[in-house]
Amino acid sequence: MWLYDATGYGPIFEEEPLDIVYTKESPDRLISMNCRARANPAPTYRWRRDNWEIKLMELPNEHYSLVGGNLIINNPEEKKHAGTYVCVAKNVYGTVISKEAKVKFGYLEEFPDEERDPVTVKEGQGAVLLCAPPKRWPTEVTFRWIYNEFPVFLHPDKRRFVSQSTGNLYISKVEASDAGNYSCYVFNPQIGKGVYSKFIPLISTEEKKRYKADLVVKFPDTTAMLNYNVTLECFALGNPAPHIVWRKIGATDLPASAQVSMSGALLHLYNVQYEDSAGYECEAINQKWQDWHQAWLYVEAAPEWAVTINNTQKDVGSEHTMSCVANGKPGPYIRWLKDGYSYGKGELKFSSLTFEDSGMYQCIAENYWGIIYASAELRVIACAPTFELNPVKKYLLGANNGRVVIECKPRAAPRPRFTWTKGKEVLFNNSRISIMFDGSLEILNATRNDEGVYTCLAENDRGKANSTGTLTITEATQITVAPEDTQVMVGEEVHLQCQASFDPSLDITFIWSLDFRVIDFYLEWKHYERIMDSGELKIMNVQLRHEGRYTCTAQTVVDNVTASADLKIKGLPAPPGGVRVEEIRDTSVKLVWNRGADHGSPILGYTIQTRDFYALTEVDWRDASTSPTALDRMSVMADVVDLYPWMEYEFRVYATNEFGDGEASIPSMKIKTWDAVPVVAPTNVGGYGGKDGELIITWTPVQPQYFYGKKFGYVVAFKPHDDVDWWYETISDPETRRYVHRDASFRVKSNDFQVREFQVKVKTFNSKGDGPYSLSTTIYYPRDVPSESPTDVYSRPVSSHEALVWWIPVKYWRKYDDTEPGANRIFVPASMNQTRLENMLPDSHYLIEVRAYNGAGVGPPSEHCEMFTKRAPPSVAPQMWRYISYSGKWLYVWWHHISYDWFGNESFPLYYKVMFRKTGYITGPIYMTGWHFIDFPMPQVGDYELEVRGRYEGGDGPIRKIRLQGKASFLRPTLSLAAMLLLALCIVGLGI
């Protein structure tokens, strides 16, 4: 048996070797692999390559050398030195092996010398230039393309994309400026080397056509490591250049960590988590077509310790179990090493430890993504019993008629035999006294006769020892006044009594707990108070959360006793639990929940609320329509109906009793209803003819909640009034509100004498089918601009900044200060014959003209209408004072008028408006130039606002506002009413 040094320990790694990529171009011509372990005594080091030990001491080697624990490889050669290395550290306590480190030789071959074939493509078509990169290691490289000459690198944009998985260059639509020579450049950052291919000529020919979107770069099913980053690629050819949109299948939004770059071609997911594992879709859209691709992202993880091993010291002959648990995906495989050699798998169990079981143990967890090590030392010891560290307590206390346990826990190996004595009497097991397995002495129903001196004797094959203590029996603690079950209303106060008798030589403490949670009176002082010199508990302003079982514990250093009572609180019902969606349809779902507590009042019914994707705020919940309509107290499920198809929803439920509506449940998980054919058509379909054969068709887009599915768009149908066949155009952008059709045949000819009429209508569609058409509308293609001007133009000023204009079937400017080309313009629908002009300057002379217009342009102007805007209101607010009556029931207000100058620049006052919040306002013409007096009845205690503002010819003047509080905050003077009025007149000069 090895005699252990108290300060000695086995090796523990502080530095382990790392993977190395070595290149022949390395200037040092050596590889250094580090290894350092902490141990006492200091460890020795050995190295293994591919499980074969490297003979560093026995045989001289021109390549290998050992410096401390570090392995140096001079002039490395791939055939001799590439492989898997481990460091072995050893001392007298055991051996440990480092994690594996791979040595690989990096390289990047040259591109072939063969000339590359030219690529010929028509303008507007897409093009793909293949990189065909050479062999390399490591495989992680970056790809770039050289344009015409080095170092002119191509900068990717919406049209051009370089795949970092294949190296290919993709051009969505070729333009004339793309013609030239291209070379693929491959750079390996780990070895610091780059190579480039022969130039590939790109030749473009003229033929500009539109081509549908066609996805040519499609990310495959991908597996990413937890907490790492991953990039998905998607790129399409087409003319116009397609727009790329990314989606996470089954979710409304991409993950919060997602970022789209390269004009939509790359989706970056940073710090990937398990919840990011899902299907992802990229969709390419242009005006000719939509193309999409779906693939799955799987998230897995390298092993990570959940339960590991620690240094342990055990008695010889005892049982012992060593286990470690690692998390990972796929689940890690667990195996063991003892002193560097394989020692089983799973869990290690020892039924009877021997000295040979001592050593250094390593638990290894590995899966496809990595391997981790945990090390610990197991020491098996033997020693004679000793009470030096843990003697029997010298003075012991026990409660009368209670249970007394006197502990005896010496240090000994193997486990000793225990003997107890009281004085000189040897004790044996009986109905009241027993010696427990760990050596402790148990006495049941203790009495005064059990007082005395007790000695524990421990003995094994290596020696014996004893320890002594004195036992004293005290009076038992008893609850004399116990708390009683109580029922109260929310907001009331309750007292729970608790009193106890105890031994007068001891101190007692009362501890209160709610549902086994000890109440912290310091932190919860607003609701809980413990009455001093007693165990009484006072609960103030009782809330629903205070309901439960309250336990009073009367405790001394010897024993403790408890008593409990239930506190029931009547109030609003508790929120239902477990709200979940079990069935999803296009316009309805089946919602299930669990009943909550009724809090002393029977539940009358339940209400379901919904919040959809377009909710404006977090609290924007709306009552839902259900089947059945009324949900009674027994309801635990219902169908939520009248939902929008293809809409993200979450649901919550609240209960109602005689006290009102309870707190709402935690919202359900977000779900999306199934898609359906759209049923809403665009509104306000119209349009007009423009210039050069343009036909402009307009409509009000459908709101997003009516899309009812993905790939939503519009079909615009139109035809000349007398034709039978309709022309159709598909619009894939759901936010589009106009379509312009160009046709040279629409141009007005010299022999055309009538306005052309067109029938137009618009319908919606999505991936499920087509929706209804809007009503057909007639639009006109004009022969020319309007030839007549509006008549009877009349205007009237409203304020200093506004005016009204009328005419019969608008450009306006100051007559002397502005020029007509810089005039303000507004456009009014043809069905209206008046409008409001805003943002005019006060006290100014304006000219106004009205013209008709159509798609071809504007017609002739009307006669000019002249108008003067009013002068502006004063820039200052009236001065105001207020006074509170002696009784506190009336508020008196008075103010100064704003003086008026007939020759000034400010408008004439019409009246003053006074407003006292929650009392209404008083208005009326006032022609006094001094001060005016109004009294208000005083409202309840609270915050209120008092306002005075003037109304002038030119509009409202500025507001004078005062904030004040009702009753409680008002000063109550003891002066007479006459004295108070006199005081008020004396402070008129102090404006507020």
mmCIF file of all heavy atoms in Angstrom, residues 287-310:
data_model
loop_
_atom_site.group_PDB
_atom_site.id
_atom_site.type_symbol
_atom_site.label_atom_id
_atom_site.label_comp_id
_atom_site.label_asym_id
_atom_site.label_seq_id
_atom_site.Cartn_x
_atom_site.Cartn_y
_atom_site.Cartn_z
ATOM 1 N N GLN A 287 -40.925 40.507 -62.068
ATOM 2 C CA GLN A 287 -42.225 40.760 -62.681
ATOM 3 C C GLN A 287 -42.680 39.638 -63.605
ATOM 4 O O GLN A 287 -43.835 39.613 -64.025
ATOM 5 C CB GLN A 287 -42.184 42.088 -63.447
ATOM 6 C CG GLN A 287 -41.968 43.287 -62.535
ATOM 7 C CD GLN A 287 -41.928 44.592 -63.304
ATOM 8 O OE1 GLN A 287 -42.116 44.621 -64.518
ATOM 9 N NE2 GLN A 287 -41.694 45.692 -62.588
ATOM 10 N N LYS A 288 -41.777 38.689 -63.895
ATOM 11 C CA LYS A 288 -42.144 37.602 -64.808
ATOM 12 C C LYS A 288 -42.536 36.321 -64.069
ATOM 13 O O LYS A 288 -43.305 35.503 -64.586
ATOM 14 C CB LYS A 288 -40.974 37.308 -65.765
ATOM 15 C CG LYS A 288 -40.617 38.459 -66.686
ATOM 16 C CD LYS A 288 -41.739 38.752 -67.665
ATOM 17 C CE LYS A 288 -41.922 37.633 -68.680
ATOM 18 N NZ LYS A 288 -42.968 37.936 -69.670
ATOM 19 N N TRP A 289 -41.989 36.103 -62.857
ATOM 20 C CA TRP A 289 -42.204 34.794 -62.227
ATOM 21 C C TRP A 289 -41.757 34.845 -60.774
ATOM 22 O O TRP A 289 -41.073 35.774 -60.352
ATOM 23 C CB TRP A 289 -41.424 33.716 -62.994
ATOM 24 C CG TRP A 289 -41.740 32.298 -62.588
ATOM 25 C CD1 TRP A 289 -40.938 31.449 -61.910
ATOM 26 C CD2 TRP A 289 -42.941 31.582 -62.845
ATOM 27 N NE1 TRP A 289 -41.558 30.235 -61.722
ATOM 28 C CE2 TRP A 289 -42.804 30.290 -62.297
ATOM 29 C CE3 TRP A 289 -44.146 31.902 -63.482
ATOM 30 C CZ2 TRP A 289 -43.810 29.326 -62.356
ATOM 31 C CZ3 TRP A 289 -45.144 30.938 -63.554
ATOM 32 C CH2 TRP A 289 -44.976 29.667 -63.002
ATOM 33 N N GLN A 290 -42.172 33.813 -60.054
ATOM 34 C CA GLN A 290 -41.710 33.601 -58.685
ATOM 35 C C GLN A 290 -41.147 32.189 -58.590
ATOM 36 O O GLN A 290 -41.765 31.237 -59.068
ATOM 37 C CB GLN A 290 -42.860 33.759 -57.685
ATOM 38 C CG GLN A 290 -43.431 35.167 -57.607
ATOM 39 C CD GLN A 290 -44.745 35.171 -56.843
ATOM 40 O OE1 GLN A 290 -45.709 34.552 -57.247
ATOM 41 N NE2 GLN A 290 -44.758 35.873 -55.737
ATOM 42 N N ASP A 291 -39.998 32.049 -57.989
ATOM 43 C CA ASP A 291 -39.385 30.735 -57.798
ATOM 44 C C ASP A 291 -38.949 30.632 -56.343
ATOM 45 O O ASP A 291 -38.490 31.613 -55.759
ATOM 46 C CB ASP A 291 -38.177 30.572 -58.730
ATOM 47 C CG ASP A 291 -37.715 29.117 -58.796
ATOM 48 O OD1 ASP A 291 -38.461 28.228 -58.319
ATOM 49 O OD2 ASP A 291 -36.622 28.867 -59.344
ATOM 50 N N TRP A 292 -39.105 29.465 -55.760
ATOM 51 C CA TRP A 292 -38.748 29.327 -54.351
ATOM 52 C C TRP A 292 -38.107 27.975 -54.088
ATOM 53 O O TRP A 292 -38.232 27.022 -54.853
ATOM 54 C CB TRP A 292 -39.964 29.541 -53.450
ATOM 55 C CG TRP A 292 -41.082 28.576 -53.665
ATOM 56 C CD1 TRP A 292 -41.293 27.377 -53.067
ATOM 57 C CD2 TRP A 292 -42.167 28.742 -54.584
ATOM 58 N NE1 TRP A 292 -42.418 26.789 -53.535
ATOM 59 C CE2 TRP A 292 -42.984 27.600 -54.469
ATOM 60 C CE3 TRP A 292 -42.529 29.752 -55.492
ATOM 61 C CZ2 TRP A 292 -44.142 27.437 -55.216
ATOM 62 C CZ3 TRP A 292 -43.683 29.571 -56.232
ATOM 63 C CH2 TRP A 292 -44.471 28.433 -56.091
ATOM 64 N N HIS A 293 -37.420 27.912 -52.949
ATOM 65 C CA HIS A 293 -36.706 26.692 -52.560
ATOM 66 C C HIS A 293 -36.770 26.560 -51.048
ATOM 67 O O HIS A 293 -36.674 27.552 -50.319
ATOM 68 C CB HIS A 293 -35.241 26.778 -53.005
ATOM 69 C CG HIS A 293 -34.353 25.742 -52.379
ATOM 70 N ND1 HIS A 293 -34.425 24.405 -52.695
ATOM 71 C CD2 HIS A 293 -33.373 25.860 -51.428
ATOM 72 C CE1 HIS A 293 -33.535 23.740 -51.973
ATOM 73 N NE2 HIS A 293 -32.885 24.596 -51.205
ATOM 74 N N GLN A 294 -36.947 25.319 -50.583
ATOM 75 C CA GLN A 294 -36.993 25.041 -49.160
ATOM 76 C C GLN A 294 -35.977 23.966 -48.807
ATOM 77 O O GLN A 294 -35.761 23.030 -49.577
ATOM 78 C CB GLN A 294 -38.392 24.559 -48.727
ATOM 79 C CG GLN A 294 -39.488 25.594 -48.853
ATOM 80 C CD GLN A 294 -40.830 25.050 -48.399
ATOM 81 O OE1 GLN A 294 -40.955 23.872 -48.080
ATOM 82 N NE2 GLN A 294 -41.838 25.916 -48.370
ATOM 83 N N ALA A 295 -35.359 24.107 -47.644
ATOM 84 C CA ALA A 295 -34.454 23.081 -47.109
ATOM 85 C C ALA A 295 -34.449 23.229 -45.593
ATOM 86 O O ALA A 295 -34.955 24.213 -45.041
ATOM 87 C CB ALA A 295 -33.045 23.203 -47.683
ATOM 88 N N TRP A 296 -33.865 22.266 -44.924
ATOM 89 C CA TRP A 296 -33.950 22.194 -43.470
ATOM 90 C C TRP A 296 -32.610 22.533 -42.833
ATOM 91 O O TRP A 296 -31.563 22.132 -43.327
ATOM 92 C CB TRP A 296 -34.380 20.789 -43.043
ATOM 93 C CG TRP A 296 -34.974 20.767 -41.671
ATOM 94 C CD1 TRP A 296 -34.329 20.502 -40.505
ATOM 95 C CD2 TRP A 296 -36.327 21.032 -41.310
ATOM 96 N NE1 TRP A 296 -35.192 20.591 -39.443
ATOM 97 C CE2 TRP A 296 -36.428 20.919 -39.896
ATOM 98 C CE3 TRP A 296 -37.463 21.372 -42.032
ATOM 99 C CZ2 TRP A 296 -37.622 21.103 -39.213
ATOM 100 C CZ3 TRP A 296 -38.650 21.564 -41.353
ATOM 101 C CH2 TRP A 296 -38.728 21.429 -39.967
ATOM 102 N N LEU A 297 -32.687 23.267 -41.728
ATOM 103 C CA LEU A 297 -31.513 23.557 -40.912
ATOM 104 C C LEU A 297 -31.620 22.740 -39.630
ATOM 105 O O LEU A 297 -32.600 22.864 -38.886
ATOM 106 C CB LEU A 297 -31.430 25.047 -40.573
ATOM 107 C CG LEU A 297 -30.316 25.442 -39.580
ATOM 108 C CD1 LEU A 297 -28.944 25.210 -40.201
ATOM 109 C CD2 LEU A 297 -30.470 26.885 -39.141
ATOM 110 N N TYR A 298 -30.620 21.890 -39.401
ATOM 111 C CA TYR A 298 -30.558 21.106 -38.177
ATOM 112 C C TYR A 298 -29.505 21.718 -37.258
ATOM 113 O O TYR A 298 -28.441 22.153 -37.712
ATOM 114 C CB TYR A 298 -30.186 19.649 -38.476
ATOM 115 C CG TYR A 298 -31.134 18.960 -39.439
ATOM 116 C CD1 TYR A 298 -30.878 18.952 -40.811
ATOM 117 C CD2 TYR A 298 -32.278 18.331 -38.969
ATOM 118 C CE1 TYR A 298 -31.743 18.336 -41.698
ATOM 119 C CE2 TYR A 298 -33.144 17.699 -39.850
ATOM 120 C CZ TYR A 298 -32.883 17.702 -41.217
ATOM 121 O OH TYR A 298 -33.749 17.089 -42.084
ATOM 122 N N VAL A 299 -29.787 21.744 -35.977
ATOM 123 C CA VAL A 299 -28.855 22.283 -34.997
ATOM 124 C C VAL A 299 -28.417 21.152 -34.076
ATOM 125 O O VAL A 299 -29.248 20.479 -33.460
ATOM 126 C CB VAL A 299 -29.490 23.419 -34.176
ATOM 127 C CG1 VAL A 299 -28.508 23.943 -33.139
ATOM 128 C CG2 VAL A 299 -29.931 24.548 -35.099
ATOM 129 N N GLU A 300 -27.106 20.922 -34.022
ATOM 130 C CA GLU A 300 -26.546 19.919 -33.138
ATOM 131 C C GLU A 300 -25.483 20.572 -32.273
ATOM 132 O O GLU A 300 -25.152 21.750 -32.463
ATOM 133 C CB GLU A 300 -25.980 18.745 -33.949
ATOM 134 C CG GLU A 300 -27.063 18.013 -34.749
ATOM 135 C CD GLU A 300 -26.554 16.769 -35.459
ATOM 136 O OE1 GLU A 300 -25.316 16.565 -35.492
ATOM 137 O OE2 GLU A 300 -27.375 15.989 -35.977
ATOM 138 N N ALA A 301 -24.943 19.804 -31.313
ATOM 139 C CA ALA A 301 -24.028 20.417 -30.346
ATOM 140 C C ALA A 301 -22.933 19.449 -29.959
ATOM 141 O O ALA A 301 -23.154 18.231 -29.866
ATOM 142 C CB ALA A 301 -24.792 20.871 -29.103
ATOM 143 N N ALA A 302 -21.733 19.990 -29.740
ATOM 144 C CA ALA A 302 -20.621 19.208 -29.202
ATOM 145 C C ALA A 302 -20.904 18.884 -27.742
ATOM 146 O O ALA A 302 -21.719 19.541 -27.093
ATOM 147 C CB ALA A 302 -19.324 20.008 -29.332
ATOM 148 N N PRO A 303 -20.259 17.862 -27.191
ATOM 149 C CA PRO A 303 -20.514 17.497 -25.785
ATOM 150 C C PRO A 303 -20.199 18.643 -24.828
ATOM 151 O O PRO A 303 -19.276 19.429 -25.044
ATOM 152 C CB PRO A 303 -19.580 16.302 -25.561
ATOM 153 C CG PRO A 303 -19.294 15.764 -26.927
ATOM 154 C CD PRO A 303 -19.305 16.940 -27.844
ATOM 155 N N GLU A 304 -20.996 18.705 -23.769
ATOM 156 C CA GLU A 304 -20.790 19.697 -22.712
ATOM 157 C C GLU A 304 -21.176 19.049 -21.388
ATOM 158 O O GLU A 304 -22.224 18.421 -21.280
ATOM 159 C CB GLU A 304 -21.639 20.938 -22.973
ATOM 160 C CG GLU A 304 -21.413 22.043 -21.980
ATOM 161 C CD GLU A 304 -22.242 23.282 -22.306
ATOM 162 O OE1 GLU A 304 -23.077 23.206 -23.225
ATOM 163 O OE2 GLU A 304 -22.060 24.302 -21.638
ATOM 164 N N TRP A 305 -20.319 19.201 -20.380
ATOM 165 C CA TRP A 305 -20.559 18.511 -19.115
ATOM 166 C C TRP A 305 -21.779 19.048 -18.391
ATOM 167 O O TRP A 305 -21.941 20.259 -18.223
ATOM 168 C CB TRP A 305 -19.345 18.623 -18.191
ATOM 169 C CG TRP A 305 -18.132 17.866 -18.640
ATOM 170 C CD1 TRP A 305 -16.898 18.365 -18.911
ATOM 171 C CD2 TRP A 305 -18.052 16.452 -18.879
ATOM 172 N NE1 TRP A 305 -16.059 17.369 -19.292
ATOM 173 C CE2 TRP A 305 -16.729 16.172 -19.286
ATOM 174 C CE3 TRP A 305 -18.955 15.397 -18.791
ATOM 175 C CZ2 TRP A 305 -16.294 14.897 -19.603
ATOM 176 C CZ3 TRP A 305 -18.533 14.114 -19.118
ATOM 177 C CH2 TRP A 305 -17.216 13.871 -19.511
ATOM 178 N N ALA A 306 -22.659 18.129 -17.988
ATOM 179 C CA ALA A 306 -23.764 18.455 -17.081
ATOM 180 C C ALA A 306 -23.422 17.999 -15.666
ATOM 181 O O ALA A 306 -23.704 18.686 -14.692
ATOM 182 C CB ALA A 306 -25.058 17.800 -17.554
ATOM 183 N N VAL A 307 -22.833 16.805 -15.544
ATOM 184 C CA VAL A 307 -22.354 16.281 -14.260
ATOM 185 C C VAL A 307 -20.962 15.731 -14.505
ATOM 186 O O VAL A 307 -20.771 14.883 -15.385
ATOM 187 C CB VAL A 307 -23.281 15.175 -13.714
ATOM 188 C CG1 VAL A 307 -22.716 14.609 -12.418
ATOM 189 C CG2 VAL A 307 -24.684 15.715 -13.501
ATOM 190 N N THR A 308 -20.000 16.190 -13.739
ATOM 191 C CA THR A 308 -18.618 15.742 -13.935
ATOM 192 C C THR A 308 -18.116 15.048 -12.662
ATOM 193 O O THR A 308 -18.883 14.826 -11.717
ATOM 194 C CB THR A 308 -17.712 16.934 -14.312
ATOM 195 O OG1 THR A 308 -16.421 16.441 -14.642
ATOM 196 C CG2 THR A 308 -17.626 17.943 -13.188
ATOM 197 N N ILE A 309 -16.833 14.686 -12.634
ATOM 198 C CA ILE A 309 -16.271 13.954 -11.503
ATOM 199 C C ILE A 309 -15.320 14.856 -10.725
ATOM 200 O O ILE A 309 -14.773 15.820 -11.274
ATOM 201 C CB ILE A 309 -15.546 12.669 -11.972
ATOM 202 C CG1 ILE A 309 -14.512 13.010 -13.050
ATOM 203 C CG2 ILE A 309 -16.536 11.643 -12.476
ATOM 204 C CD1 ILE A 309 -13.711 11.810 -13.516
ATOM 205 N N ASN A 310 -15.128 14.517 -9.435
ATOM 206 C CA ASN A 310 -14.262 15.302 -8.567
ATOM 207 C C ASN A 310 -13.307 14.375 -7.812
ATOM 208 O O ASN A 310 -13.578 13.170 -7.670
ATOM 209 C CB ASN A 310 -15.091 16.099 -7.557
ATOM 210 C CG ASN A 310 -16.011 17.097 -8.225
ATOM 211 O OD1 ASN A 310 -15.559 17.989 -8.921
ATOM 212 N ND2 ASN A 310 -17.315 16.930 -8.026
#
